[in-house]
Amino acid sequence: MPTLTLPGAEGRLAPYTTGAPREFPVAKPPFPRIALAAAHLVADPLAEQDPWLDVRIDWDRTIAFRRHLWSLGLGVAEAMDTAQRGMGLDWAGAQELIRRSLDAMKDVPGAVMASGAGTDHLAPGPDVTVDDVIRAYEEQCSAVEGMGGRIILMASRALARAARGPDDYVRVYDRILRQVRQPVIIHWLGEMFDPALEGYWGHHDHWKAMEVALEVIAGHAARVDGVKISLLDKEKEIAMRRRLPEGVRMYTGDDFNYAETIAGDSEGHSDALLGIFDPIAPAVGGALACLSRDDLQGFHDILAPTVPLSRHIFKAPTRFYKTGVVFMAWLNGHQDHFTMVGGQQSARSIGHFAELFRLADKAGLLRDPDLAAARMRQILAVHGVS
């Protein structure tokens, strides 16, 4: 196994020798849990562009990664925040991404996908009204359904700015949910992922906000497939899960505690829609294969080592987690470069990348240690470590 020099605590350098990649069990869906991986974008680093301003996508590699996820039995959550929605990917690019992924899905028997619809083409501002937000949601929902896609109803920065209280949220979601053709997944994205969403549902207190969200869901249960909450707090997720109407799923968005919430308890379990499933997809497929055989110990044995990796990738400032996701894709050979739209590859430090490398190795997720080590040496060299 390769040995390389990595920075550690306080920047001190020390040798590190990788272990062997782990072989994960394989099984075909259906699994006992729905597992949607929010998938990342692959940038085109050779395109003529202003990297902080332009969106240039390597469509072949981007779609190839979706095929990788489907091959492992996972579904795809498309054009979400993991795909840098609102942090490099605009609505025009999101539409193209959704269209291409839906086309690719037709060739994959049993493939599952749902796509983000929000209001990100409407810039928040003092003149934006709640009616403007409704029209923006209607436009994106119509576009996704017009392409034959299922909707993940994303949280709206414009609504967070325009709303004067909980009643405005109830009004907006009531209007949109009455129009959708198929049940949607409602996404409650916390302010740790996007500071512009502070006070969503009309309350800064998450417990009070939960009451508003539950009121919306209860009023439209037949049009809500499930709700994904991304608050990084398992107690809030479990409490909300226990109060959902029958038939409405909880999709865990807790990248810190997903193993526990997916496994569940005597009162129920969560399904999953997670950004961390992008870099740990082989482990997720293996863990769900164990769960299919009622092997709960095997499930936890596989996922437990991935949790420290996830907590590191999603550490504060959490909104920069996409950088770690793409870094893992590069280490594992899913793309030939570590370049992101919006220049987001610069959002984490070399110390962060070094610890990510160690944690990924300990979880058995570096599928070709020689390749991963060679690429790690490249980024170390850029940072002056030879």
Side-chain angles (χ1 to χ4, degrees), residues 320-334:
F320 297 133
Y321 77 88
K322 299 91 168 172
T323 301
V325 169
V326 176
F327 185 66
M328 274 286 290
W330 178 56
L331 290 179
N332 276 326
H334 293 293

Side-chain angles (χ1 to χ4, degrees), residues 252-271:
T252 186
D254 189 341
D255 298 278
F256 286 1
N257 302 290
Y258 50 90
E260 182 178 344
T261 55
I262 294 168
D265 54 32
S266 60
E267 297 185 54
H269 65 264
S270 296
D271 293 286

Side-chain angles (χ1 to χ4, degrees), residues 73-356:
L74 277 63
V76 170
E78 190 55 279
M80 300 295 292
D81 47 301
T82 304
Q84 297 182 242
R85 190 82 176 264
M87 288 184 68
L89 180 68
D90 59 14
W91 171 229
Q95 288 182 83
E96 180 71 1
L97 177 60
I98 293 166
R99 184 188 66 76
R100 287 175 179 263
S101 293
L102 285 169
D103 286 345
M105 189 175 70
K106 295 173 184 176
D107 301 329
V108 184
V112 173
M113 190 178 107
S115 303
T119 68
D120 49 317
H121 62 294
L122 175 65
D127 297 328
V128 172
T129 68
V130 171
D131 284 333
D132 293 329
V133 174
I134 289 172
R135 284 189 289 270
Y137 264 130
E138 289 174 336
E139 178 180 335
Q140 292 203 13
C141 288
S142 176
V144 172
E145 290 191 326
M147 288 185 276
R150 291 180 53 204
I151 291 172
I152 301 169
L153 201 59
M154 302 175 70
S156 166
R157 291 174 177 172
L159 177 56
R161 176 77 180 270
R164 294 295 173 260
D167 288 348
D168 283 334
Y169 287 87
V170 174
R171 177 185 163 206
V172 169
Y173 279 85
D174 175 78
R175 178 76 167 268
I176 301 306
L177 290 171
R178 287 180 184 276
Q179 299 180 60
V180 294
R181 301 175 193 170
Q182 298 183 69
V184 307
I185 300 172
I186 292 175
H187 187 189
W188 176 7
L189 189 67
E191 63 277 6
M192 64 289 296
F193 287 89
D194 186 344
L197 298 176
E198 174 78 36
Y200 211 74
W201 301 111
H203 292 287
H204 291 276
D205 183 319
H206 288 159
W207 294 103
K208 293 179 179 178
M210 188 185 299
E211 296 300 323
V212 181
L214 285 166
E215 177 186 345
V216 167
I217 293 166
H220 301 277
R223 295 177 180 267
V224 179
D225 170 68
V227 57
K228 165 187 160 73
I229 65 170
S230 298
L231 302 177
L232 302 180
D233 186 324
K234 66 179 180 181
E235 301 304 330
K236 291 170 183 172
E237 177 183 317
I238 292 169
M240 187 174 185
R241 183 177 78 199
R242 290 174 177 167
R243 295 179 59 192
L244 291 174
E246 186 174 356
V248 176
R249 300 175 182 273
M250 171 58 74
Y251 288 88
T252 186
D254 189 341
D255 298 278
F256 286 1
N257 302 290
Y258 50 90
E260 182 178 344
T261 55
I262 294 168
D265 54 32
S266 60
E267 297 185 54
H269 65 264
S270 296
D271 293 286
L273 194 168
L274 288 165
I276 192 56
F277 279 6
D278 176 308
I280 71 166
V284 176
L288 293 175
C290 289
L291 210 55
S292 295
R293 303 193 299 266
D294 294 322
D295 179 5
L296 190 59
Q297 185 61 50
F299 170 87
H300 283 297
D301 285 347
I302 291 173
L303 285 189
T306 72
V307 173
L309 171 64
S310 185
R311 292 184 178 190
H312 180 70
I313 289 175
F314 283 79
K315 69 183 293 186
T318 301
R319 63 187 180 277
F320 297 133
Y321 77 88
K322 299 91 168 172
T323 301
V325 169
V326 176
F327 185 66
M328 274 286 290
W330 178 56
L331 290 179
N332 276 326
H334 293 293
Q335 52 195 79
D336 296 330
H337 58 84
F338 179 42
T339 303
M340 298 172 65
V341 299
Q344 288 291 316
Q345 69 273 9
S346 65
R348 296 292 200 186
S349 70
I350 189 60
H352 182 89
F353 295 135
E355 181 63 8
L356 189 158

Side-chain angles (χ1 to χ4, degrees), residues 44-59:
D44 181 354
L46 301 181
E48 182 61 34
Q49 60 179 312
D50 293 309
W52 287 10
L53 303 175
D54 299 329
V55 180
R56 299 290 187 267
I57 299 171
D58 182 335
W59 291 112

